[in-house]
Amino acid sequence: MFKRHFIATCVCLAQAVVLTGCADQTSPVEEASPAPAITSAVAYKPQPVDFARQILPILSDKCFACHGPDTRKADLLRLDSFEHATRDLGGYRAINPDDLSKSELILRVHDELDPMPPKKADKQLTDEERELLTRWINEGGAYAKHWAFVPPTKRLPQDVTGSAAIDHEIGEQLKERQIGFAPEADRATLARRVSLVLTGLPLEPATLEAYLKDTKPGAYDRLVDQLLDSPRYGEHQARYWLDAVRYGDTHGLHLDSKRGIYPYRDWVVRAYNANLPMDQFILWQLAGDMLDKPTLDQLIATGFVRMNPSTAEGGAIPAEFQAKNNFDRVETIGTALMGMSLICARCHTHKYDPITHTEYFEMLAFFNSTAEQPLDGNKYDYAPVIKAPADQAAWRQWQALEQEARQLVGQDTADNNPETLISQVKTIVDTQGANPDGTPTAALLLYQRMNEAQKAFTTTLIAKELPSPRETKVLDRGEYDLAIGEPLSPSVFEVMGELPADMPNNRLGLAQWLTAREHPLTSRVMINRVWQRVFGYGLVRTPEEFGLQGEQPTHPQLLDYLAVEFQDSGWDLKHMLRLMVTSRTFKQSSVHRKEVDDPENRLFARGPGHRLEAEEIRDVALWASGLLREEMGGEGFKPYQPAGMWEALAHPASNTKQYVQDTGDKQYRRSLYVYWKRTSPHPMMTLFDAPSRETSCVRRSRTNTALQSLGLLNEMQRTEMARVLAERLILSEKDDARRLERLFTMLASRGPSKTERAACGALLTQMKARYAEAEADAMALLSVGDYPRDEKLSPAEHAAWTQVVVTVLASDVAIRLY
């Protein structure tokens, strides 16, 4: 005991010395008398330790595995609350409020012989962490909620609003380090950047030229509005959400057979383009079927609930998959909307976050009464389903007919299910009969046109509740056959607030709770991912984890400001994107700054700069070549891919065993519409870090491998796009210098640099000489892909330019945001 008290005394004295700034001048024994130490202490006043942002992450990372909420033995030390940390443990306390210097926590973290965490543990405290823990206890050892569980508030000066708020918060951190913003990027570079961020494609040459000539004030703002109004906007933004909800065109397990749900994908695109408020976007997906007279869109949106992988594998146990289907839904809600990893709580009370085992199953109860069979029967139309337009053209046609039918039936009395609406029109036809002259009535001419329109419909999976709810119980250790305790009612996580009494205790209430003003997480989590796709990294760099195991925000007040602004704007996503891309922060040059020691750009002291993602890499080349077919919606298409991949991976009985490539211009559609087989996504998507979509993904990795270079330079469609773009350059410009200028202007919104011009010129000369002597090689290159070539062109020249183009398409010029 003497040893521990001695350690505590030394620790307290040493800390006092450090705070006076004299640790390297005075020993603990001598510290008490010299006056200069007192003077220094007055001059230097360290900020009080912030428990939520400084201490809680240490406890979570280093201590809670043994001393957290899931400590099973009552006599073990717990550090997850002040009440537990100050409990008498038989003559000692982790934190002793009566005599802070005798707190066992201080003793143990500084005990070199028997430290905590123990020496054999994977994680050890750093000296800085020991000092923080000691300062915290000496300041009283107060506890506070983790920052992410406290509702966000705006804490900036009242006169700092809009994009200026972004620049204020970023600028404050830069000032602390005595640096400023980077210079603004040139207009052409900025135009390319904002176009890629908002639409996933560069500006059309004519649009770029018009923008560069527009010298009137507000030219950039007008360009931003033009991009936000483009149909390309919704197609680009939708793919981030499709990653989060693990959208796929197949079941995802065992046979991985076809599943009809692509109208949901097309609804997501429409919702983004229409700027549907994001709180409604969430509500429709979780509970559109529970709204009064739900529209067809609202029903299609509930495909979100049905997106989980499913199976009908022989020997599969229905009760087990009833549980697994709902585990997936709960954990996807956690990742996509709350930024919380919930999988731990499936089996036990969460070790790190204040979510209990029981609460996990109370959340699961919201989904346990969804009217579907636990096993999917390997069916394309895995009920419940609804008929919906199969593509955008069919959708527009149906909207016009639906409006006519509503006027005929009466807006207030029409149900929005297409089949029900047709039935109501048919009732009117039966009642009216024919016109006196025997000609068909307007009503009859209308279920005929509606019936004809339905030929272009398909089925899509939707959510529907059972007439009587299923019973939900806690499953011990998450095992489907170990139900324990009394039946549970649906409920939410206490740490995030309660479900208000005026909200229904079902999926609709859950959706309303998630987007309620008081909810601490949803608006933060959503806006953090918006920031991530604009700037390359989130303000919280663990977008999937806002809990105690996640990273702290780099700019906490900015994150909270944006989260509240998002709510105040009516959950207007376009408004938030406009704020971000018009900020000084976004407009900075992305060139690395030697004077700023910040390789990960955590200070945002330069503009965004990173490799484009898989879909963008393909779409940019497809667009530049002129091959891009901009037809929205419809069933996923199958572009070129190596033969035999699906067959090698698929069960012999699977209806996706054989990969049948699409022909004609269908395969030149935007990458959003690539057919997504979960057990085998398109290899170029996988190569560039697209997820399989078997589970929720809110942050793609960015790897850098030799295989990626091999794919960029040799993959069949990239070669085809390069030769078609080469043909386009040869036909549109009269000489090689202008062709090269046009190539770079299309891809980089600028001409080639001196170095780039020299390198491309040398390559072109070399390739012309090579193919002039080897026409067979030139023809072999020009035969790659289905798109016909212009046979009037010289094979040698065409092949040479193809090699130049494929090289530029594989370089940072084309595949990087800068």
Side-chain angles (χ1 to χ4, degrees):
M1 217 41 186
F2 170 77
K3 184 188 84 167
R4 288 189 175 176
H5 286 168
F6 176 74
I7 291 173
T9 302
C10 290
V11 167
C12 292
L13 288 174
Q15 184 195 18
V17 174
V18 170
L19 296 186
T20 62
C22 301
D24 58 343
Q25 302 173 11
T26 312
S27 71
V29 177
E30 300 169 330
E31 186 271 331
S33 55
I38 298 174
T39 304
S40 289
V42 173
Y44 173 63
K45 294 182 179 180
Q47 292 295 315
V49 176
D50 186 323
F51 173 81
R53 297 190 183 276
Q54 293 177 283
I55 300 301
L56 196 49
I58 299 173
L59 297 179
S60 173
D61 191 39
K62 306 291 175 70
C63 307
F64 282 0
C66 298
H67 302 294
D70 195 36
T71 302
R72 290 184 176 272
K73 296 181 180 178
D75 59 344
L76 283 180
L77 167 64
R78 282 180 57 179
L79 295 173
D80 54 298
S81 71
F82 184 80
E83 178 187 5
H84 287 108
T86 56
R87 188 162 61 93
D88 189 336
L89 298 172
Y92 66 92
R93 304 175 187 180
I95 299 175
N96 189 336
D98 300 327
D99 188 349
L100 294 170
S101 66
K102 294 181 180 178
S103 297
E104 185 73 9
L105 181 57
I106 294 180
L107 302 175
R108 297 304 297 273
V109 300
H110 289 279
D111 189 339
E112 295 183 1
L113 297 178
D114 187 19
M116 283 292 159
K119 293 180 180 179
K120 65 181 180 180
D122 292 336
K123 297 180 179 180
Q124 300 296 319
L125 293 170
T126 66
D127 290 341
E128 182 183 5
E129 288 170 337
R130 290 190 184 90
E131 191 230 334
L132 273 172
L133 289 169
T134 303
R135 281 179 54 200
W136 165 58
I137 291 176
N138 284 330
E139 289 173 8
Y143 274 69
K145 257 188 176 182
H146 179 51
W147 66 269
F149 301 141
V150 179
T153 57
K154 286 184 175 179
R155 292 170 288 166
L156 302 187
Q158 289 187 350
D159 59 339
V160 178
T161 59
S163 60
I166 295 173
D167 299 332
H168 176 274
E169 283 302 289
I170 299 297
E172 286 299 302
Q173 282 205 16
L174 296 179
K175 284 180 186 176
E176 290 176 10
R177 290 158 178 80
Q178 298 183 330
I179 54 178
F181 286 104
E184 189 168 307
D186 66 83
R187 292 189 77 200
T189 297
L190 184 57
R192 176 184 184 271
R193 179 191 298 172
V194 73
S195 185
L196 283 167
V197 164
L198 295 181
T199 72
L201 289 169
L203 287 177
E204 294 292 339
T207 306
L208 175 62
E209 184 179 3
Y211 166 68
L212 294 178
K213 289 180 178 178
D214 186 354
T215 57
K216 296 178 182 177
Y220 178 75
D221 291 345
R222 289 191 291 276
L223 176 64
V224 169
D225 288 339
Q226 183 178 347
L227 293 169
L228 289 172
D229 288 340
S230 167
R232 292 173 174 176
Y233 162 82
E235 290 182 308
H236 178 57
Q237 302 299 325
R239 68 179 183 80
Y240 297 104
W241 184 251
L242 297 180
D243 275 359
V245 303
R246 70 261 188 257
Y247 171 84
D249 292 300
T250 60
H251 293 272
L253 297 173
H254 190 48
L255 297 188
D256 200 21
S257 295
K258 296 177 181 178
R259 176 163 66 180
I261 201 166
Y262 65 83
Y264 168 85
R265 177 204 59 206
D266 296 344
W267 170 80
V268 173
V269 175
R270 288 198 301 274
Y272 276 112
N273 276 331
N275 202 28
L276 180 69
M278 286 290 105
D279 58 342
Q280 296 301 299
F281 180 74
I282 292 168
L283 186 145
W284 290 13
Q285 292 181 77
L286 278 169
D289 59 306
M290 293 181 162
L291 297 172
D292 183 40
K293 295 182 180 177
T295 66
L296 181 56
D297 261 346
Q298 288 166 341
L299 292 172
I300 293 171
T302 64
F304 169 87
V305 178
R306 304 292 310 286
M307 205 67 67
N308 55 288
S310 57
T311 189
E313 182 177 0
I317 302 170
E320 180 179 14
F321 276 87
Q322 178 65 30
K324 285 187 172 182
N325 292 343
N326 289 312
F327 292 160
D328 182 87
R329 288 169 179 144
V330 170
E331 290 154 22
T332 296
I333 290 285
T335 301
L337 297 177
M338 292 186 277
M340 295 288 295
S341 171
L342 301 179
I343 192 169
C344 296
R346 184 200 298 184
C347 300
H348 52 75
T349 290
H350 208 293
K351 246 180 217 308
Y352 302 103
D353 295 311
I355 297 172
T356 69
H357 188 40
T358 298
E359 285 180 322
Y360 178 96
F361 285 93
E362 289 173 333
M363 178 67 71
L364 183 144
F366 283 112
F367 302 99
N368 200 27
S369 296
T370 304
E372 64 180 357
Q373 294 299 316
L375 304 182
D376 59 36
N378 295 312
K379 292 182 178 179
Y380 182 83
D381 52 351
Y382 170 29
V385 297
I386 193 172
K387 285 188 175 181
D391 55 37
Q392 195 69 10
W395 181 264
R396 286 192 292 267
Q397 181 189 26
W398 177 256
Q399 280 186 308
L401 293 171
E402 184 182 50
Q403 188 59 35
E404 285 187 52
R406 286 179 174 283
Q407 292 173 355
L408 182 67
V409 174
Q411 291 282 359
D412 296 333
T413 57
D415 188 357
N416 294 289
N417 183 316
E419 293 185 352
T420 304
L421 191 56
I422 289 175
S423 177
Q424 289 177 312
V425 174
K426 185 177 184 300
T427 299
I428 293 175
V429 170
D430 292 341
T431 302
Q432 289 180 343
N435 285 324
D437 61 359
T439 59
T441 62
L444 178 60
L445 291 172
L446 174 63
Y447 65 107
Q448 289 175 357
R449 286 189 290 145
M450 291 175 84
N451 277 337
E452 185 64 24
Q454 278 206 311
K455 293 179 181 178
F457 275 35
T458 185
T459 55
T460 190
L461 279 60
I462 63 167
K464 184 179 179 181
E465 286 290 277
L466 290 170
S468 300
R470 288 190 180 98
E471 187 178 81
T472 303
K473 292 186 176 183
V474 169
L475 301 182
D476 189 31
R477 299 193 298 279
E479 294 291 343
Y480 75 94
D481 56 349
L482 292 179
I484 57 175
E486 296 298 316
L488 301 173
S489 296
S491 189
V492 298
F493 303 136
E494 184 179 356
V495 72
M496 300 175 200
E498 297 180 348
L499 192 70
D502 61 344
M503 291 184 183
N505 200 26
N506 54 24
R507 285 185 281 114
L508 181 59
L510 174 63
Q512 293 170 335
W513 173 75
L514 282 165
T515 56
R517 188 77 183 193
E518 301 76 22
H519 198 284
L521 280 169
T522 308
S523 62
R524 275 186 178 125
V525 167
M526 296 284 284
I527 210 64
N528 184 63
R529 296 210 302 270
V530 176
W531 182 279
Q532 175 178 270
R533 59 190 189 241
V534 171
F535 291 94
Y537 299 94
L539 293 166
V540 177
R541 296 212 169 190
T542 51
E544 71 286 348
E545 185 54 88
F546 273 50
L548 295 176
Q549 290 290 289
E551 286 197 29
Q552 299 284 314
T554 56
H555 299 75
Q557 291 194 167
L558 176 56
L559 176 65
D560 283 7
Y561 174 89
L562 293 173
V564 177
E565 177 68 17
F566 194 21
Q567 295 172 324
D568 289 346
S569 72
W571 296 78
D572 185 334
L573 179 59
K574 288 188 177 182
H575 168 72
M576 300 308 299
L577 282 165
R578 188 179 288 107
L579 291 185
M580 292 180 193
V581 300
T582 57
S583 68
R584 177 74 180 83
T585 305
F586 178 78
K587 293 178 180 179
Q588 296 177 98
S589 167
S590 62
V591 175
H592 182 75
R593 302 174 66 182
K594 293 180 180 179
E595 76 277 17
V596 180
D597 184 18
D598 183 22
E600 296 182 348
N601 202 22
R602 288 176 175 267
L603 296 174
F604 297 100
R606 61 180 186 272
H610 52 82
R611 195 201 70 209
L612 301 178
E613 293 184 342
E615 292 90 340
E616 294 167 291
I617 290 172
R618 178 179 177 272
D619 291 347
V620 166
L622 203 59
W623 165 84
S625 70
L627 285 171
L628 181 63
R629 177 186 173 189
E630 298 198 66
E631 178 182 316
M632 299 179 69
E635 187 173 14
F637 73 97
K638 301 180 180 71
Y640 310 112
Q641 78 171 30
M645 287 190 65
W646 282 15
E647 189 172 8
L649 293 167
H651 189 285
S654 173
N655 60 18
T656 58
K657 180 178 66 173
Q658 299 293 336
Y659 185 85
V660 181
Q661 175 195 316
D662 282 309
T663 57
D665 60 357
K666 187 175 182 179
Q667 61 183 307
Y668 306 124
R669 299 187 65 204
R670 198 161 181 183
S671 301
L672 174 75
Y673 304 111
V674 168
Y675 193 90
W676 209 282
K677 179 177 166 71
R678 278 169 158 159
T679 56
S680 182
H682 191 273
M684 283 294 281
M685 298 291 111
T686 302
L687 185 58
F688 286 93
D689 305 308
S692 68
R693 292 191 176 154
E694 293 170 290
T695 56
S696 176
C697 173
V698 293
R699 174 178 54 163
R700 292 186 182 184
S701 58
R702 290 194 188 100
T703 59
N704 189 6
T705 70
L707 190 59
Q708 290 169 347
S709 296
L710 189 69
L712 288 173
L713 292 167
N714 294 280
E715 189 258 343
M716 189 172 187
Q717 188 150 66
R718 300 231 23 117
T719 305
E720 179 185 43
M721 292 186 290
R723 72 168 176 81
V724 175
L725 178 49
E727 178 179 302
R728 184 180 181 188
L729 295 173
I730 294 170
L731 292 173
S732 63
E733 301 293 345
K734 294 181 179 180
D735 58 63
D736 288 342
R738 292 182 181 180
R739 290 164 185 163
L740 193 62
E741 188 79 22
R742 183 177 178 86
L743 174 62
F744 273 77
T745 300
M746 292 184 70
L747 296 174
S749 297
R750 60 167 176 81
S753 67
K754 184 178 179 180
T755 302
E756 291 165 338
R757 190 181 299 277
C760 290
L763 177 61
L764 181 61
T765 300
Q766 181 183 357
M767 291 296 103
K768 281 184 176 181
R770 177 183 185 278
Y771 288 121
E773 297 178 355
E775 185 171 323
D777 289 350
M779 292 303 297
L781 177 64
L782 299 175
S783 66
V784 174
D786 293 343
Y787 194 81
R789 74 177 188 88
D790 188 335
E791 296 183 4
K792 296 176 184 178
L793 299 183
S794 159
E797 183 179 40
H798 191 181
W801 265 106
T802 297
Q803 292 287 28
V804 171
V805 172
V806 81
T807 302
V808 175
L809 285 176
S811 71
D812 282 357
V813 169
I815 68 168
R816 189 171 177 82
L817 184 79
Y818 44 80

